[in-house]
Amino acid sequence: MTSTHMTNCTRHKFHDAMDAVYGPFEQLSPQEASSWVPPPMTEGHRGRYLWTDSFGVCNFLTLCKETSDERYLSLARRLVETVHDVLGRTRDGRARLPGATHEQPLLGGLRIGKEKDSGEDADGQYHHYLTIWMFALNRMSIVSSNRWYNDQAISLAKAIHPRFVTDRNSSRPRMFWKMSIDLSRPLVWSEGNLDPIDGYVIFSLLQHTAGDDSVLVEEISDYRKILETKWRHYSSSDPLDLGMTLWTAHWFNKEQEWATVLTERAFHCLRELHDDGYFEEPTRFRLAFREFGTALGIKCGAGSGDDILSVAHNITETWERTGLVERTPKRLLPITLVMYASACYPGVFRKGYLNGAKY
């Protein structure tokens, strides 16, 4: 995997993208940063969207590590608190989600943040959004040296796992793609392609940070059962799916067979997609944020000097030339810009980036 330091040019792009979503924050004093209120985004219910804010937290942590400016850690902390206070509550904001308390705000899960409260695209809970938030909390715990964040991620993991995973005592458990806001019933009964792999990897990272092999051991075992039925046959032509597969697998690439083979298969599929001309199609037929997921996965999964890295660079350069802010629909601008920043420089998304941490 690549391990370059953030250049001044990249830092400006990274910072400007984050500032467009969460700014202005550059002139905040340390005291102001500690009480900062994240502005409502143009996407998401009550201005919050779990996937976008997960990337936001991680990007603030990257800025903290790159600049040694503790204000960015304060911004990450305040964004975490705000997400818990908005998406950890009912849509009217009057109560925490069932099972949650002030001390344990994640025992009811976290809402996606979709703007609709009914219909096919209604608000609810996604497993892959919840795991990316667990990852953000895990990185927060490591950067801040505060185990509370990892403990909260573990509490979230324990709370949502039995709701999303069924037939746990069978040889092949099943998963639901989407649950209702209160986690009482499935909204989409099918299984996400990456959900069990996300679960296995992220729950394993939480266990490692906790320093206790008994933490989440049953949940990790459930995911492993499902994972074993999937990785040998993996195939995809979706750029975001390929990118997030590469990102997820890179944590255990060269350590566990499934991750090594899955990485090889994903790169093979990506090369086919590239050779078929997908990334040469007019940008009006494509979505930038999905391809920024591709670039992030490539930069985390590829070795230094690997020719596939040129695809990642071409993706960001292509969208820069189109005019990211001007050409992106307003409602998609936050998710696009935070993923653009991560694609430019993965930072805490990359294994080994945090000094002293194996993962």
Side-chain angles (χ1 to χ4, degrees):
M1 61 190 167
T2 59
S3 58
T4 56
H5 296 291
M6 185 184 280
T7 64
N8 287 335
C9 179
T10 300
R11 183 178 291 114
H12 285 304
K13 292 178 180 179
F14 192 105
H15 178 280
D16 289 350
M18 287 292 289
D19 194 68
V21 178
Y22 296 108
F25 51 71
E26 188 59 37
Q27 301 304 316
L28 294 176
S29 68
Q31 183 176 3
E32 289 170 333
S34 67
S35 60
W36 174 70
V37 178
M41 298 186 297
T42 56
E43 69 172 333
H45 182 247
R46 295 178 60 200
R48 303 267 62 88
Y49 195 70
L50 189 57
W51 181 271
T52 301
D53 284 332
S54 298
F55 274 77
V57 169
C58 289
N59 289 344
F60 276 133
L61 295 177
T62 296
L63 283 171
C64 177
K65 295 300 291 184
E66 289 295 318
T67 64
S68 299
D69 188 336
E70 291 294 309
R71 291 181 304 163
Y72 293 121
L73 180 59
S74 295
L75 298 182
R77 183 180 296 113
R78 289 292 299 134
L79 184 53
V80 167
E81 293 170 357
T82 302
V83 167
H84 289 177
D85 197 47
V86 175
L87 299 182
R89 291 181 176 271
T90 53
R91 286 176 62 83
D92 61 13
R94 295 179 180 177
R96 295 193 181 275
L97 296 180
T101 66
H102 178 73
E103 293 75 20
Q104 297 288 331
L106 303 184
L107 293 183
L110 290 167
R111 295 187 292 112
I112 299 165
K114 288 184 176 289
E115 296 182 8
K116 297 180 180 179
D117 61 2
S118 62
E120 290 185 4
D121 198 32
D123 207 358
Q125 299 201 32
Y126 280 147
H127 185 273
H128 61 297
Y129 280 32
L130 294 165
T131 51
I132 198 71
W133 185 252
M134 293 175 208
F135 175 79
L137 292 178
N138 175 261
R139 299 297 96 176
M140 184 76 188
S141 189
I142 296 172
V143 174
S144 67
S145 299
N146 186 343
R147 65 174 296 165
W148 183 87
Y149 294 99
N150 196 64
D151 289 345
Q152 289 301 308
I154 291 171
S155 75
L156 176 59
K158 290 179 177 179
I160 65 104
H161 182 80
R163 306 304 184 96
F164 278 91
V165 183
T166 187
D167 299 329
R168 295 180 63 188
N169 293 325
S170 69
S171 61
R172 206 296 190 184
R174 300 287 172 178
M175 295 185 65
F176 302 122
W177 169 256
K178 182 181 182 182
M179 296 293 293
S180 59
I181 288 175
D182 62 3
L183 293 173
S184 65
R185 68 190 192 282
L187 295 183
V188 179
W189 289 67
S190 58
E191 184 175 277
N193 195 33
L194 276 179
D195 282 359
I197 303 173
D198 289 337
Y200 177 80
V201 169
I202 302 304
F203 281 39
S204 295
L205 294 181
L206 302 183
Q207 181 190 75
H208 177 81
T209 300
D212 183 349
D213 290 344
S214 69
V215 171
L216 299 173
V217 64
E218 293 182 1
E219 292 85 352
I220 292 170
S221 176
D222 291 340
Y223 290 125
R224 186 63 190 242
K225 290 178 188 176
I226 308 174
L227 185 156
E228 286 296 333
T229 69
K230 282 180 168 284
W231 61 269
R232 294 176 180 85
H233 313 290
Y234 176 82
S235 180
S236 178
S237 59
D238 180 275
L240 180 58
D241 183 89
L242 288 167
M244 297 313 292
T245 297
L246 288 168
W247 173 72
T248 306
H250 102 280
W251 293 98
F252 295 115
N253 188 23
K254 308 300 183 184
E255 294 183 25
Q256 298 183 19
E257 181 188 12
W258 72 266
T260 304
V261 174
L262 186 61
T263 297
E264 293 170 352
R265 293 185 66 87
F267 271 128
H268 175 76
C269 292
L270 180 58
R271 285 187 168 90
E272 285 191 334
L273 191 67
H274 175 267
D275 292 345
D276 287 343
Y278 173 86
F279 296 106
E280 297 175 6
E281 291 290 326
T283 54
R284 66 179 180 275
F285 299 130
R286 296 149 54 188
L287 284 174
F289 76 88
R290 301 186 69 81
E291 296 180 18
F292 294 147
T294 313
L296 170 65
I298 292 172
K299 289 187 176 181
C300 289
S304 179
D306 195 320
D307 63 348
I308 196 69
L309 286 169
S310 64
V311 175
H313 297 312
N314 288 340
I315 286 172
T316 54
E317 290 174 359
T318 295
W319 287 104
E320 287 168 0
R321 288 196 301 270
T322 67
L324 266 179
V325 174
E326 297 80 9
R327 295 291 185 90
T328 301
K330 188 176 181 180
R331 66 181 181 83
L332 293 180
L333 196 56
I335 192 173
T336 299
L337 290 177
V338 296
M339 294 190 71
Y340 165 72
S342 301
C344 286
Y345 191 78
V348 300
F349 281 99
R350 182 186 289 128
K351 177 182 177 182
Y353 174 79
L354 296 176
N355 294 335
K358 178 181 179 182
Y359 295 112

